Amino acid sequence: MAAGGVVWVTFPKQNLIPPPRKRLGPKLRTGVPLISSTAVRAYSEEKVHEVVLKQAALVKQQRPNEGCKDWDLLNEAYERCGEVCAEYAKTFYLGTLLMTSERRRAIWAIYVWCRRTDELVDGPNASHITPRALDTWEKRLDNIFQGRPYDLFDAALSHTVSNYALGIQPFKDMIEGMRLDLLKTRYNNFDELYLYCYYVAGTVGLMSVPVMGIASESKASIETVYSAALALGIANQLTNILRDVGEDGRRGRIYLPQDELASAGISEDEIFRGQVSDKWKIFMKNQIKRARMYFDEAEKGVAELKEASRWPVWASLLLYRQILDVIEENDYNNFTKRAYVGKGKKFASLPLAYGRAIMGTSKFF
């Protein structure tokens, strides 16, 4: 499943990751314990909330400006990151152009690392990726945070984390999401799915807030802004899941809550056959409603960001919300009809996003 959020739009035409070096890594965790749904919910939400609190606390700390000082190398590294972002996330890239040079370059560096991480399990070499390869990638992440980059892309991120209050945990959690993609093809309930969505997409919001910056006039708590950023990642990933039901089914994967499917009387065979029944439509309406609830929650935090950083976030939010609209327009056939937002609608969303960014409120229209 392609990870969702502002940093996943299409798959690259070429692999950005050099072959991993072999090493002996720690044993892989085998998944969520078999406990009740209520207990899992407490476990999942509390676990994520702890990360939110820790990341929010980092914002109050002044980071030393360390790392690579070879400005020619860094400029080339950031330019390469910008090129990748421009090619594979065009709408978001245009939004970043309103940000200050320093902030947009940092966002590009985060984008590229997230994209490369996602490629490990969804890219052209995905069939060769093992848990040990992910262990190697995590060790490489440790080196980035310690100022020992492996290549140009790593150098850009290493410089970024030396300048902003970026904690390593969201990055490690994203890699954990990739481990889940190697192991799990079903999720028993929404509580399990929520944790997965946090790993592969909610983490992006936590990575981005320190770079985006919180407006000086904001009266919201830092925790509230981080929680809204998390909600946007969850909303985007849920939207990805609903859009890609048919594609994932053809790969033998179902990212929909198993207990909710059972309650709706929908079998796996019906999903694999792409049967758009009345019960499927009712089921999809409920799934779309949940995703929109997370988008609503995310809107509360966008206005709290620095003005120059709001546009790309609004552009992403509006674009992904439109995917849900297209699923409805396709009469909930997400098996054979891909919910695609055309270029016209994408570019039309830019001035709307800009209007919201300038007004600094989710109540612009």
Side-chain angles (χ1 to χ4, degrees):
M1 176 48 139
V6 297
V7 296
W8 292 278
V9 181
T10 59
F11 294 121
K13 299 174 184 175
Q14 59 184 10
N15 186 17
L16 298 174
I17 308 170
R21 302 180 210 172
K22 292 184 178 180
R23 77 174 181 88
L24 294 176
K27 291 184 178 179
L28 186 65
R29 290 199 288 273
T30 57
V32 179
L34 296 176
I35 52 182
S36 70
S37 175
T38 302
V40 173
R41 171 169 296 177
Y43 169 78
S44 300
E45 293 187 353
E46 286 182 10
K47 181 175 182 178
V48 174
H49 187 61
E50 287 176 4
V51 180
V52 169
L53 291 176
K54 289 178 181 178
Q55 300 311 300
L58 285 175
V59 174
K60 301 176 182 178
Q61 301 175 12
Q62 182 68 36
R63 294 183 65 89
N65 189 350
E66 300 172 348
C68 176
K69 296 300 183 183
D70 185 334
W71 294 111
D72 288 338
L73 177 67
L74 281 174
N75 286 332
E76 181 183 355
Y78 280 121
E79 285 175 9
R80 291 279 299 278
C81 290
E83 290 169 1
V84 174
C85 186
E87 182 169 359
Y88 300 114
K90 293 180 176 62
T91 303
F92 179 70
Y93 173 78
L94 290 174
T96 65
L97 297 182
L98 276 189
M99 301 171 68
T100 65
S101 174
E102 180 183 319
R103 291 183 188 277
R104 70 168 169 264
R105 283 153 56 106
I107 286 294
W108 293 344
I110 293 172
Y111 169 90
V112 169
W113 185 87
C114 291
R115 184 173 190 85
R116 298 173 88 190
T117 302
D118 185 57
E119 280 184 0
L120 288 168
V121 296
D122 268 330
N125 292 330
S127 61
H128 304 294
I129 294 299
T130 64
R132 182 169 293 181
L134 292 178
D135 292 340
T136 300
W137 188 248
E138 186 167 356
K139 177 61 177 177
R140 182 163 161 175
L141 173 68
D142 290 330
N143 289 335
I144 289 173
F145 271 76
Q146 293 166 13
R148 298 195 299 270
Y150 178 82
D151 62 12
L152 276 178
F153 292 126
D154 287 359
L157 182 60
S158 185
H159 183 254
T160 292
V161 302
S162 74
N163 283 302
Y164 293 93
L166 288 168
I168 197 171
Q169 194 59 50
F171 293 84
K172 286 181 172 288
D173 285 344
M174 177 172 281
I175 296 173
E176 187 66 19
M178 302 306 112
R179 290 191 177 101
L180 284 180
D181 268 332
L182 291 182
L183 292 173
K184 287 176 72 74
T185 59
R186 304 290 188 278
Y187 289 83
N188 292 327
N189 46 52
F190 181 70
D191 310 301
E192 288 187 6
L193 187 62
Y194 173 86
L195 190 58
Y196 170 74
C197 289
Y198 159 70
Y199 281 149
V200 301
T203 49
V204 183
L206 303 190
M207 298 172 194
S208 302
V209 170
V211 177
M212 295 287 187
I214 299 175
S216 58
E217 65 273 16
S218 173
K219 292 181 172 57
S221 68
I222 297 175
E223 180 187 341
T224 297
V225 179
Y226 269 91
S227 295
L230 168 65
L232 179 56
I234 300 293
N236 285 347
Q237 185 60 22
L238 290 175
T239 300
N240 268 349
I241 288 169
L242 299 181
R243 180 194 63 194
D244 296 339
V245 170
E247 178 183 328
D248 290 329
R250 288 187 285 277
R251 298 167 60 196
R253 295 178 173 272
I254 298 177
Y255 288 90
L256 301 167
Q258 293 290 300
D259 59 346
E260 295 177 22
L261 286 169
S263 296
I266 299 171
S267 67
E268 289 193 357
D269 185 58
E270 288 175 277
I271 293 176
F272 293 145
R273 286 189 285 111
Q275 187 172 330
V276 187
S277 60
D278 288 339
K279 57 186 177 182
W280 174 256
K281 294 178 182 179
I282 294 172
F283 174 80
M284 283 303 303
K285 288 177 182 178
N286 289 329
Q287 301 300 310
I288 289 173
K289 180 180 179 180
R290 173 189 283 149
R292 284 180 173 146
M293 287 174 59
Y294 279 99
F295 278 121
D296 291 343
E297 184 65 25
E299 287 193 11
K300 298 175 183 177
V302 184
E304 310 303 332
L305 298 175
K306 286 186 176 294
E307 184 178 319
S309 299
R310 295 173 197 153
W311 192 25
V313 182
W314 273 120
S316 170
L317 192 154
L318 294 176
L319 173 61
Y320 263 77
R321 288 195 79 143
Q322 288 181 78
I323 293 174
L324 299 176
D325 298 337
V326 177
I327 293 175
E328 293 174 331
E329 292 168 6
N330 289 342
D331 200 23
Y332 305 101
N333 180 4
N334 42 4
F335 297 112
T336 59
K337 292 183 179 180
R338 183 175 176 84
Y340 175 74
V341 179
K343 289 184 179 179
K345 287 186 176 180
K346 285 182 180 179
F347 283 104
S349 69
L350 289 177
L352 294 177
Y354 183 71
R356 287 197 175 190
I358 294 300
M359 293 297 291
T361 173
S362 62
K363 303 301 182 184
F364 180 61
F365 57 90

